[in-house]
Amino acid sequence: LHNIAVYHDGVMRCRDIEARCVDGRNFVPPPGDLVLYLNNPFDEQVMAALVDSVEQSLQVDQRKLFVVYQRPMHRAPWDRSTAFRQVHSSTRYVVYENIGS
């Protein structure tokens, strides 16, 4: 929350930033274009449930959705997803974009 409070990039292109601390198995993505930033928050079982929830949300609200996964220790559910494709990766992070966005 502190990072959001002090965020500024000179132009403040994005003012709609929200942090949520929730059980990944119960997370329901909000509607509209979205970037999910994950800093290795869950084990693979919870991550798989999160991926399922995000995929289901795309069936209801087709939009641009990016996942930025820092320290991707449990990335297999994202890699297996047919709703997402990897658009960038390094040893420290991977970025996914929903297909059809």
Side-chain angles (χ1 to χ4, degrees), residues 37-57:
Y37 176 81
L38 308 170
N39 190 0
N40 192 35
F42 312 118
D43 63 23
E44 191 162 340
Q45 181 181 7
V46 175
M47 188 65 76
L50 174 68
V51 171
D52 288 343
S53 178
V54 173
E55 288 175 340
Q56 289 174 19
S57 80

Side-chain angles (χ1 to χ4, degrees), residues 24-25 36 38 40-56 58 67 69 71-86 94-99:
R25 294 169 291 204
L36 294 177
L38 308 170
N40 192 35
F42 312 118
D43 63 23
E44 191 162 340
Q45 181 181 7
V46 175
M47 188 65 76
L50 174 68
V51 171
D52 288 343
S53 178
V54 173
E55 288 175 340
Q56 289 174 19
L58 287 170
V67 177
Y69 186 6
R71 296 185 312 130
M73 296 177 67
H74 304 290
R75 65 184 277 178
W78 294 106
D79 290 339
R80 287 190 303 263
S81 173
T82 58
F84 286 88
R85 67 175 174 239
Q86 178 183 307
V94 61
V95 178
Y96 299 94
E97 175 184 33
N98 65 308
I99 296 170

